[in-house]
Amino acid sequence: QILDENGDIEEGLHPDIEDNELLRVHRAMLLSRAFDSRMLAMQRQGQMGTFAPNLGQEACMIGQVWPLDADDWFSPSYRAFGAQIWRGWSMERLMTLWAGYHDGFPPPDDVKDLPFSIVIGSHVLPATGIAMAMRRAKDPHCMVVNFGDGAFSQGAITEAMNFAAVDKAPVVFVCENNGWAISTPLEKQAGNEVLAARGAGYGVHSIRVDGNDILAMMTAMKEACDRARRGEGPTLIEAITFRMSLHTTADDPTVYRDESLVEPWHNRCPIRRFELWLTRTDRLTTQDCDRIRAECEQEVLDAREHFRKNA
């Protein structure tokens, strides 16, 4: 952890990241949340198919792809739309995808991403295979692949980690541990709740990160991607976060999860703590934050209008 819940940073932990880059990341997090909120509303109004919200996990999404350049690869799971937007997917394209049109699934021509995976954990082995091929081709880039704590119970992921460790493949595994595999809490699916320990058991360099701390995510991901590019092999990052909303719009979490479990995470909101620090250090004002929120909401509305015209 670098940035705590109160927006404070301990002396000596300040990351060496330029202000304009910090502000770009902040805006991306707000855009992700605006997209999330609008998509949920559209689904409830019968204008969109089943959707997987990502409320409260914006730091995980943006942080995991922040260090990637255009020649790095990204293999997302289905809750990674904020990361996809950062990587160059238009919001209109993602709306087309979630509305069930095949045209939305293929990545844009200039984006080295795989289509997102719906089958839980199925994308991790192919992503590792691409990384192994990159090493053989002496491609000096890396692959980032993400999945949830529930997916980590799938054998394919541990198989992928074993292949990656033996091959020293340039891949970064990101487990977004949001506490719930649909309705199953972590304590009922894992004997050891420190999921990063699984990577260590396979010989994969592993780290546990506060997934609601955008600065920690950016720092950990940069280190992991740099290791991969230097030929030092794979890294597993367990990002601790919380699924504050629905698993998907086909889900009702009130059936299996008490609201008291959600309440503490409001103060751990990744956007809230980042804005506390940005405003306290005079990088932004509260008026700036309000303006950017309004601009992001308008961007999403504009994308919705383009989607409606072309659907």
Side-chain angles (χ1 to χ4, degrees):
Q1 186 186 76
I2 293 175
L3 186 65
D4 69 18
E5 295 177 27
N6 300 314
D8 294 323
I9 297 179
E10 286 188 30
E11 193 64 34
L13 290 182
H14 287 76
D16 185 19
I17 302 171
E18 293 184 359
D19 285 357
N20 63 343
E21 194 64 13
L22 293 169
L23 298 182
R24 190 166 77 102
V25 166
H26 168 257
R27 195 180 197 287
M29 292 170 69
L30 290 184
L31 184 61
S32 174
R33 184 164 289 190
F35 181 83
D36 189 330
S37 176
R38 183 58 56 182
M39 289 287 283
L40 184 58
M42 291 171 69
Q43 195 280 334
R44 294 310 195 210
Q45 294 164 358
Q47 302 173 14
M48 187 57 58
T50 300
F51 178 65
N54 202 289
L55 179 67
Q57 295 180 227
E58 294 85 3
C60 282
M61 281 198 291
I62 304 304
Q64 69 188 259
V65 291
W66 171 74
L68 300 184
D69 63 31
D71 288 316
D72 291 314
W73 283 83
F74 179 53
S75 179
S77 58
Y78 52 78
R79 206 182 300 275
F81 50 84
Q84 290 175 289
I85 294 169
W86 179 275
R87 289 282 289 168
W89 294 64
S90 71
M91 289 183 285
E92 178 186 346
R93 191 184 196 96
L94 292 174
M95 288 175 181
T96 303
L97 184 164
W98 283 103
Y101 295 98
H102 181 265
D103 289 351
F105 273 86
D109 290 340
D110 57 346
V111 176
K112 283 191 170 180
D113 288 2
L114 297 182
F116 78 40
S117 171
I118 296 175
V119 179
I120 304 297
S122 64
H123 59 307
V124 182
L125 275 167
T128 301
I130 290 175
M132 293 168 68
M134 291 166 69
R135 188 186 69 76
R136 284 158 176 75
K138 294 182 170 51
D139 184 332
H141 297 93
C142 66
M143 161 69 81
V144 169
V145 56
N146 72 8
F147 49 90
D149 51 290
F152 214 163
S153 295
Q154 298 288 332
I157 292 179
T158 53
E159 292 170 10
M161 286 198 300
N162 190 51
F163 272 108
V166 170
D167 197 73
K168 287 194 175 298
V171 57
V172 181
F173 301 102
V174 182
C175 175
E176 293 188 31
N177 183 354
N178 65 18
W180 293 86
I182 309 181
S183 60
T184 303
L186 184 62
E187 64 268 19
K188 290 189 177 180
Q189 62 163 318
N192 182 352
E193 295 182 28
V194 180
L195 301 183
R198 299 183 184 182
Y202 281 92
V204 174
H205 183 73
S206 303
I207 182 172
R208 213 172 195 225
V209 179
D210 180 347
N212 281 21
D213 174 358
I214 183 60
L215 299 182
M217 283 296 301
M218 292 165 72
T219 301
M221 286 300 305
K222 184 177 188 308
E223 290 177 358
C225 291
D226 286 347
R227 284 188 75 254
R229 295 183 188 114
R230 289 194 301 264
E232 296 175 19
T235 298
L236 167 65
I237 291 179
E238 179 190 2
I240 307 300
T241 183
F242 193 81
R243 196 194 79 213
M244 295 185 68
S245 187
L246 318 165
H247 171 69
T248 70
T249 49
D251 171 51
D252 179 7
T254 63
V255 173
Y256 55 81
R257 189 176 72 182
D258 193 278
E259 185 63 25
S260 64
L261 297 175
V262 182
E263 192 58 37
W265 287 88
H266 289 288
N267 286 334
R268 299 169 191 163
C269 167
I271 293 176
R272 173 185 175 275
R273 71 166 75 172
F274 195 29
E275 287 187 344
L276 283 172
W277 180 68
L278 290 171
T279 54
R280 190 176 299 146
T281 56
D282 297 324
R283 289 173 169 87
L284 280 177
T285 65
T286 54
Q287 291 79 13
D288 289 330
C289 295
D290 291 341
R291 171 182 54 78
I292 296 167
R293 277 182 171 79
E295 290 173 356
C296 289
E297 177 64 22
Q298 188 58 54
E299 275 193 54
V300 177
L301 290 174
D302 291 344
R304 184 187 66 176
E305 292 312 304
H306 285 298
F307 162 71
R308 286 175 171 174
K309 288 177 182 177
N310 297 320

